[in-house]
């Protein structure tokens, strides 16, 4: 190419039209020929020549013009000709021969199933209509080879063929590919590791030897390099600061597979020595040392040191100590003051800086939700000292509202150092969840059959905009209120109606929530009321509850007090569900239930749909008046009990995506004294999988799911062959969750679970170790537009060696209104 350019630079037309050297002429005009795809004005600018210039032709100016045009890479040849000369004025023609254009590309020698992946590999490199350059071809070949290396085909060969293209002056590139044999890692040998086992080091390597068919065994140089970094980092976390990889081998054995090896020089193991401080005025060295949590003699771990100084996941590092108290400009730097033997002494320098005050707090992106709904959840307020903990808590509070995409909540803190202030900017993105119309179908169990559901849930409702049509978007929304109405029915056998309204900030100044709800449920055996065998059970009632956020022990606690009223009516209801302690069925009559329920709950989960950290814990007690203690004349038509529930959920991120959920549920229904037995109502029924729409049925009984078991699988849930509820239960769950999609328009995650639980008729038969166990897998899909999809498949272990499989699949369809 270089020789070709030299040849072109010296090439001018000969004969009568050739330019004579060393003669100064004025350029009277310049014309380009052969430039089919290039603008003449742009080429003239690149050449550096212009009309009116005086120059020797040929000379340095024309040589420079030729060189400038060739460097564009658009032309295979450039020549300058004299068209005519008038006196000392010359008119020039610059003839260019354009490089061919790319008309397309293709692949040969590989299956068609590979073509899409290969097209993706060269996407952005090969563009139809672009000039076909050698650099373009080299980049495409390199991308294809990298693709095959990533698949384990290290010996793949790529040959470029050129064919006549369908466009004028164009060519088609055809990549002839020979994939070759897929090379695997046969073995990895590690030597020199006296203090860390080879098994542990192999786990740190993303490259695995070919020992099990489900293990990856490709040799990728980039992954191998990352693995070596991981090994060094692990050694350094154990105090081996001088560790080196002194040998790194990679060769192919006679079978063509990779043999890899590492030679490690561990060096000396160091420990922390004395730690001194400078620059601290707010806290003493003793207080700082206690917060640091590192003592002389501890293994020297740079990662642990950095975490304790700046980035502890629990927020108890030294930087958080200062920044949570307003010191936004705080800086901390450790330095090694001395090394003696295997001991390293540190000096930690602090620059506390002034206390920063929050100036402006702005909110962006809330197109539907009104600003006061977000602002009232914030802990960052103008005039208040800056606190990183308040910033994190505010972000979590915004996510917990459920109105915004939790992945897109951003917080910026522009600083005004001169004034010692900081602005806080929250940017949110409205999610598609909120107003939802539910249309569902599910199996309601024996005697109920197929159940249809219709309902509307407005989670970000605005009651005050209800009568202002111009403010609807498309419904009255934005004030954070919740309004829902739900109807379930399977015809004459079952009907259920539920209506509720919640104002989360009653009065608008404090987080005191008010909820008003009412419901009506009715079951029959499907016969007409005139039939002598007709039986029915109905329950209607209402509740008014007031919730408030507590400040002690911390402001994550919420107290909720609810006044409830239930009316039970039974007409020849012989299902056996409602029974007294002595086994007497309650089949007829009307019963009234007045109770006061107090709940103390604490929630620190980071997002409502797919939590990755935090916990939800609640303890509740529901109390009816102790009628039997007040008067012996009061009959059993007034329901009497005290009911206790404990629920706890904990979420822990094990890896970047894998989340561990552990939970416990316990319930107890008791009576006042011995004058009355335990109430036949408000008991617990353990069993089922919560995917059959039954959980919204009997409000007179708490239905607690237990995947892998039906209700009848628990001995205490049966009396004389009929299903009953029990006054005591416990259940424990461990669940691993892995997200397949965290897009707010489709949140999908797979899960594996193990559960254990049981029911008891009294504390006399209670044995916390007598638990039925189950395990299984499931899938959850959260679709704001279409509702919810769920799948569970569980195995129940009734007795050792006895497996019972229960699988359920449920689909709920909904239509999004916003």
């Amino acid at each position: 190419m270089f020789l070709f350019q030299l040849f072109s630079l010296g090439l001018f037309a000969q004969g009568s039209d050739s330019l004579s050297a060393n003669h100064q002429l004025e350029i009277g005009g310049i014309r380009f020929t052969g430039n089919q795809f290039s603008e003449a004005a742009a080429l003239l600018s690149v050449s550096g020549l212009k009309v009116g210039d005086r120059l020797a032709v040929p000379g340095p100016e024309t040589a420079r013009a030729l060189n400038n045009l060739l460097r564009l890479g658009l032309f295979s040849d450039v020549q300058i000709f004299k068209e005519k000369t008038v006196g000392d004025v010359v008119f020039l023609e610059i003839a260019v021969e354009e490089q061919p254009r790319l008309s397309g590309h293709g692949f040969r020698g590989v299956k068609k199933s590979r073509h899409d992946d290969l097209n993706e590999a060269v996407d952005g490199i090969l563009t139809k209509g672009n000039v076909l350059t050698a650099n373009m071809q080299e980049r495409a070949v390199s991308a294809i080879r990298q693709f095959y290396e990533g698949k384990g085909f290290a010996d793949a060969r790529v040959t470029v063929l050129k064919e006549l293209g369908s466009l004028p002056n164009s060519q088609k590139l055809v990549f002839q590919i020979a994939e070759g044999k897929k090379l695997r890692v046969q073995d990895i040998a590690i030597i020199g590791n006296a203090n860390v086992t080879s098994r542990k080091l192999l786990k740190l390597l993303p490259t695995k030897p070919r020992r099990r068919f489900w293990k990856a065994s490709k040799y990728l140089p980039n992954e191998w390099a990352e693995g070596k970094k991981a090994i060094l980092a692990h050694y350094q976390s154990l105090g081996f600061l001088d560790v080196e990889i002194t040998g790194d081998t990679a060769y192919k054995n006679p079978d063509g597979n990779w043999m890899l090896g590492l030679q490690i020089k561990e060096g000396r193991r160091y420990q922390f020595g004395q730690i001194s401080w400078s620059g601290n005025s707010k806290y003493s060295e003793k207080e700082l040392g206690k917060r640091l949590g590192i003592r002389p003699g501890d293994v020297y771990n740079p990662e642990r040191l950095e975490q304790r100084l700046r980035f502890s996941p629990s927020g108890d590092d030294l930087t958080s100590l200062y920044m949570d108290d307003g010191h936004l400009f705080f800086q901390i730097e450790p330095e090694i003051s001395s090394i003696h033997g295997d001991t390293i002494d540190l000096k930690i320098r602090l620059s506390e800086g002034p206390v920063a005050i929050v100036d402006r707090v702005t909110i962006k992106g809330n197109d539907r939700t009104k600003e006061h709904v977000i602002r009232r959840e914030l802990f960052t307020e103008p005039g208040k000292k800056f606190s990183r903990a308040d910033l994190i808590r505010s972000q979590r509070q915004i996510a917990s509202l459920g109105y915004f995409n939790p992945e897109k909540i951003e917080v910026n803190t522009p600083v005004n150092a001169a004034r010692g202030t900081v602005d806080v900017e929250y940017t949110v993105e409205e999610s598609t969840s909120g107003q939802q119309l539910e249309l569902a179908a599910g199996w309601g169990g024996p005697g109920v059959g197929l159940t249809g559901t219709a309902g509307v849930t407005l989670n970000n409702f605005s009651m005050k905009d209800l009568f202002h049509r111009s403010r609807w978007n498309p419904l009255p929304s934005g004030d954070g209120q919740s309004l829902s109405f739900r109807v379930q029915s399977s015809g004459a056998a079952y009907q259920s109606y539920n209506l509720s309204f919640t104002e989360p900030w009653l009065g608008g100044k404090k987080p005191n929530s008010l909820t008003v709800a009412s419901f009506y449920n009715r079951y029959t055996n499907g016969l007409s009321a005139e039939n002598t065998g007709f039986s029915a059970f109905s329950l209607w009632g209402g509740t008014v509850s007031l919730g408030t956020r507590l400040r002690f022990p911390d402001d994550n606690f919420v107290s909720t007090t609810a006044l409830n009223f239930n009316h039970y009516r039974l007409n020849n209801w012989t299902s056996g569900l409602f029974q007294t302690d002595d086994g007497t069925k309650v089949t007829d009559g009307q019963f009234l239930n007045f109770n006061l329920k107090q709940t103390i709950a604490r929630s620190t989960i980071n997002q409502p749909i797919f939590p990755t950290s935090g916990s939800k814990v609640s303890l509740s007690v529901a109390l009816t008046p102790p009628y039997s203690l007040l008067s012996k004349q009061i009959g059993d038509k007034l329901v009497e009990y005290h009911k206790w529930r404990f629920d706890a959920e904990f979420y822990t991120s094990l890896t970047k995506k894998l989340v561990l959920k552990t939970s416990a549920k316990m319930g107890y229904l008791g009576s006042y004294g011995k004058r009355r037995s335990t109430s036949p109502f408000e008991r617990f029924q353990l069993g089922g999988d919560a995917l059959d729409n039954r959980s919204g049925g009997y409000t007179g009984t708490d239905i607690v799911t237990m995947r892998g078991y039906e209700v009848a699988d628990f001995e205490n849930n049966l009396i004389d062959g009929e299903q009953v509820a029990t006054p005591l239960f416990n259940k424990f769950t461990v669940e691993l969750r892995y997200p397949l999609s965290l897009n707010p328009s489709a949140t999908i995650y797979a899960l594996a679970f193990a559960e254990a639980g049981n029911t008891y008729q009294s504390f006399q038969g209670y044995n916390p170790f007598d638990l039925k166990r189950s395990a299984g897998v499931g899938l959850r899909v959260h679709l704001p537009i279409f509702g919810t999809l769920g799948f569970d498949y569980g195995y129940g272990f009734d007795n050792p060696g006895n497996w019972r499989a229960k699988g359920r699949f449920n689909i709920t369809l909904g239509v999004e209104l916003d």
Side-chain angles (χ1 to χ4, degrees):
M1 182 66 181
F2 178 70
L3 292 175
F4 173 76
Q5 290 181 1
L6 288 179
F7 175 76
S8 298
L9 288 174
L11 183 62
F12 291 87
Q14 301 299 315
S16 60
D17 289 338
S18 63
L19 301 173
S20 57
N22 302 321
H23 183 66
Q24 292 286 327
L25 296 174
E26 179 183 343
I27 299 178
I30 303 174
R31 184 171 68 92
F32 281 87
T33 58
N35 54 315
Q36 183 178 354
F37 298 99
S38 305
E39 291 290 338
L43 297 179
L44 180 61
S45 176
V46 171
S47 72
L49 301 177
K50 58 180 181 294
V51 175
D53 284 352
R54 296 190 68 85
L55 70 169
V57 287
E61 292 85 355
T62 55
R64 187 161 47 248
L66 287 168
N67 191 44
N68 290 344
L69 292 171
L70 283 170
R71 278 191 312 208
L72 291 174
L74 302 177
F75 311 112
S76 58
D77 187 26
V78 180
Q79 298 186 51
I80 298 180
F81 293 92
K82 181 196 72 172
E83 281 195 308
K84 62 180 178 178
T85 302
V86 180
D88 61 349
V89 177
V90 65
F91 292 85
L92 302 178
E93 174 193 353
I94 303 180
V96 297
E97 183 178 330
E98 292 185 325
Q99 296 270 28
R101 301 270 169 166
L102 179 67
S103 67
H105 67 275
F107 306 98
R108 291 179 186 164
V110 295
K111 298 178 181 178
K112 289 186 177 180
S113 58
R114 287 278 198 208
H115 286 204
D116 288 342
D117 292 333
L118 291 170
N119 282 326
E120 185 176 344
V122 298
D123 185 40
I125 300 174
L126 302 179
T127 303
K128 187 175 180 179
N130 280 4
V131 174
L132 184 57
T133 63
N135 177 261
M136 177 189 293
Q137 298 176 51
E138 292 169 2
R139 289 171 57 207
V141 169
S142 176
I144 294 172
R145 284 176 177 163
Q146 287 180 11
F147 167 79
Y148 275 103
E149 286 177 1
K151 296 293 183 181
F153 296 92
D155 290 340
R157 298 192 305 274
V158 183
T159 304
V160 182
L161 306 176
K162 295 181 180 180
E163 297 180 354
L164 186 65
S166 57
L167 303 174
N169 191 31
S170 68
Q171 291 181 345
K172 177 183 178 181
L173 292 184
V174 177
F175 298 94
Q176 182 73 40
I177 301 172
E179 291 183 344
K181 180 183 175 182
K182 193 170 187 176
L183 303 183
R184 301 187 181 276
V185 177
Q186 188 69 37
D187 195 15
I188 300 176
I190 301 177
I191 59 176
N193 51 313
N195 291 280
V196 184
T197 65
S198 295
R199 183 176 181 181
K200 173 63 180 177
L201 295 179
L202 287 172
K203 287 183 178 180
L204 297 173
L205 291 170
T207 305
K208 307 295 182 184
R210 186 182 182 182
R211 292 174 182 169
R212 298 174 183 173
F213 69 89
W214 66 85
K215 292 282 188 179
S217 62
K218 297 177 292 187
Y219 172 57
L220 305 178
N222 290 339
E223 285 191 359
W224 181 248
E226 290 300 318
K228 291 190 293 182
K229 291 179 182 178
I231 288 177
L232 294 176
H234 180 70
Y235 264 104
Q236 289 173 352
S237 71
L238 300 177
F240 296 95
L241 304 185
D242 302 327
V243 63
E244 295 180 82
I245 294 179
T246 57
D248 179 2
T249 59
Y251 65 91
K252 298 176 187 176
N253 63 14
D255 294 331
N257 291 321
W258 289 104
M259 303 292 289
L260 307 179
L262 292 176
Q263 169 81 42
I264 296 175
K265 182 181 179 182
E266 293 180 334
R268 173 180 287 178
R269 189 173 194 169
Y270 292 91
Q271 63 182 10
F272 285 103
Q274 297 299 317
I275 300 176
S276 60
W277 306 82
S278 67
N280 55 303
S281 60
K282 190 162 192 172
Y283 300 100
S284 66
E285 291 191 4
K286 184 178 180 180
E287 291 173 312
L288 294 175
K290 184 177 180 180
R291 183 82 170 199
L292 182 65
I294 295 176
R295 298 180 179 180
D298 289 354
V299 172
Y300 192 92
N301 183 346
E303 183 179 348
R304 181 190 173 199
L305 177 62
E306 181 67 17
Q307 191 178 81
R308 299 306 308 151
L309 292 178
R310 297 185 179 90
F311 301 112
S312 173
S314 59
D316 60 348
D317 54 273
L318 284 168
T319 299
S320 295
L321 176 67
Y322 277 90
M323 295 190 74
D324 289 348
D325 199 26
H327 294 273
L328 175 62
F329 310 103
F330 173 78
Q331 294 183 353
I332 186 168
E333 291 295 337
E335 62 180 38
I336 296 176
S337 57
S338 66
I339 301 177
H340 41 93
D342 60 355
T343 301
I344 299 177
D345 294 335
L346 293 178
K347 185 169 187 176
I348 301 178
R349 301 183 183 275
L350 287 73
S351 175
E352 296 178 338
V355 172
I357 304 299
V358 176
D359 188 6
R360 293 181 300 173
V361 178
T362 58
I363 302 168
K364 302 176 182 178
N366 51 316
D367 302 325
R368 185 185 307 114
T369 306
K370 297 176 182 178
E371 184 167 313
H372 73 273
V373 174
I374 306 172
R375 192 170 291 276
R376 67 193 183 190
E377 299 291 338
L378 303 181
F379 286 78
T380 52
E381 302 173 4
K384 188 178 178 180
K385 285 194 300 185
F386 174 82
S387 169
R388 187 166 72 174
D390 286 348
L391 210 64
I392 296 172
R393 177 72 186 280
S394 298
Q395 190 172 9
R396 192 178 76 216
Q397 288 294 115
I398 294 173
S400 67
L401 289 173
Y403 310 149
F404 310 105
N405 179 1
E407 303 294 322
K408 296 294 181 67
I409 299 174
E410 298 179 359
V411 183
N412 295 318
T413 54
V415 174
N416 188 329
R419 295 178 55 191
T421 61
V422 57
D423 295 338
V424 182
E425 299 175 352
Y426 296 94
T427 302
V428 298
E429 179 184 281
E430 299 271 5
S431 69
T432 55
S433 60
Q435 288 80 4
Q436 182 175 335
L437 175 66
E438 180 186 13
L439 299 173
W443 181 254
V448 178
L450 186 64
T451 301
T453 302
V456 61
T457 301
L458 310 177
N459 288 321
N460 193 6
F461 185 66
S462 175
M463 180 65 76
K464 71 178 182 180
D465 288 347
L466 182 61
F467 303 104
H468 296 83
R469 185 64 181 85
S470 60
R471 301 178 186 175
W472 291 22
N473 184 27
L475 293 172
S477 61
D479 277 330
Q481 298 164 339
S482 177
L483 176 67
S484 68
F485 177 69
R486 196 167 187 256
V487 179
Q488 284 185 291
S489 177
S490 62
Y494 169 58
Q495 296 92 39
S496 176
Y497 306 89
N498 297 272
L499 176 67
S500 69
F501 172 78
T502 299
E503 167 54 70
W505 282 68
L506 185 63
K509 295 183 179 180
K510 293 183 178 181
N512 299 324
S513 65
L514 172 68
T515 298
V516 180
S518 63
F519 62 91
Y520 173 76
N521 297 328
R522 183 174 186 267
Y523 283 84
T524 74
N525 60 359
L527 300 177
S528 66
E530 292 77 16
N531 194 302
T532 56
F534 173 75
S535 66
F537 164 67
S538 64
L539 169 63
W540 65 272
T543 181
V544 177
S545 66
L546 182 65
T548 183
R549 185 183 296 164
L550 303 179
R551 296 186 177 181
F552 180 83
D554 62 41
D555 54 15
N556 291 302
F557 281 87
V558 174
S559 171
T560 303
T561 304
L563 182 62
N564 305 297
F565 167 72
N566 296 333
H567 177 274
Y568 312 92
R569 181 169 184 167
L570 291 83
N571 179 9
N572 193 30
W573 191 249
T574 58
S575 71
L577 177 65
F578 305 118
Q579 297 193 19
T580 60
D581 289 345
D582 59 6
T584 303
K585 293 183 182 179
V586 179
T587 60
D588 293 276
Q590 298 187 50
F591 305 86
L592 301 178
N593 178 358
F594 296 92
N595 69 80
L596 184 69
K597 184 177 181 180
Q598 178 63 47
T599 303
I600 300 294
R602 184 178 189 270
S603 176
T604 59
I605 61 171
N606 60 342
Q607 50 184 290
I609 298 176
F610 187 79
T612 58
S613 64
S615 62
K616 289 173 63 177
V617 181
S618 69
L619 175 65
S620 68
V621 56
L623 305 171
T624 65
Y627 303 112
S628 61
L629 300 181
L630 298 175
S631 173
K632 297 181 180 180
Q633 306 301 320
I634 298 178
D636 58 2
K637 299 303 180 182
L638 293 174
V639 179
E640 177 183 301
Y641 61 82
H642 55 89
K643 182 177 181 179
W644 303 78
R645 278 292 300 263
F646 174 77
D647 297 88
E649 298 177 0
F650 300 90
Y651 298 88
T652 305
S653 292
L654 301 180
T655 64
K656 187 176 181 180
K657 289 189 174 182
L658 191 63
V659 177
L660 173 67
K661 174 191 174 183
T662 55
S663 67
K665 296 179 183 293
M666 303 176 188
Y668 171 66
L669 186 74
S671 60
Y672 300 106
K674 298 181 179 180
R675 292 185 181 179
R676 283 192 181 183
S677 65
T678 306
S679 169
F681 304 103
E682 300 301 323
R683 295 190 175 203
F684 309 97
Q685 197 171 65
L686 184 64
D689 52 20
L691 295 178
D692 55 10
N693 275 7
R694 265 189 90 229
S695 57
Y698 287 108
T699 315
T701 300
D702 285 9
I703 296 177
V704 183
T705 66
M706 179 78 177
R707 292 168 288 191
Y709 291 95
E710 298 290 358
V711 173
D713 293 333
F714 293 89
E715 292 82 358
N716 288 320
N717 286 349
L718 294 174
I719 295 181
D720 297 331
E722 294 185 321
Q723 293 185 13
V724 299
T726 62
L728 183 63
F729 87 96
N730 59 12
K731 176 191 158 186
F732 308 94
T733 302
V734 176
E735 198 170 277
L736 284 173
R737 297 178 168 189
Y738 186 85
L740 305 176
S741 169
L742 292 179
N743 192 313
S745 62
T747 301
I748 307 171
Y749 62 90
L751 59 90
F753 66 85
E755 292 187 330
N758 212 339
T759 60
Y760 312 91
Q761 288 295 343
S762 67
F763 269 118
Q764 291 180 349
Y766 178 73
N767 181 356
F769 302 104
D770 180 20
L771 302 173
K772 291 187 180 295
R773 296 157 296 144
S774 68
V777 295
L779 183 72
R780 295 290 183 271
V781 181
H782 178 80
L783 298 171
I785 296 179
F786 297 108
T788 308
L789 293 87
F791 167 81
D792 277 330
Y793 199 88
Y795 293 92
F797 308 88
D798 291 340
N799 295 299
N802 183 14
W803 290 53
R804 177 171 295 176
K806 301 289 184 183
R808 289 294 178 87
F809 182 65
N810 184 74
I811 299 176
T812 301
L813 297 178
V815 178
E816 196 69 15
L817 299 180
D818 58 352

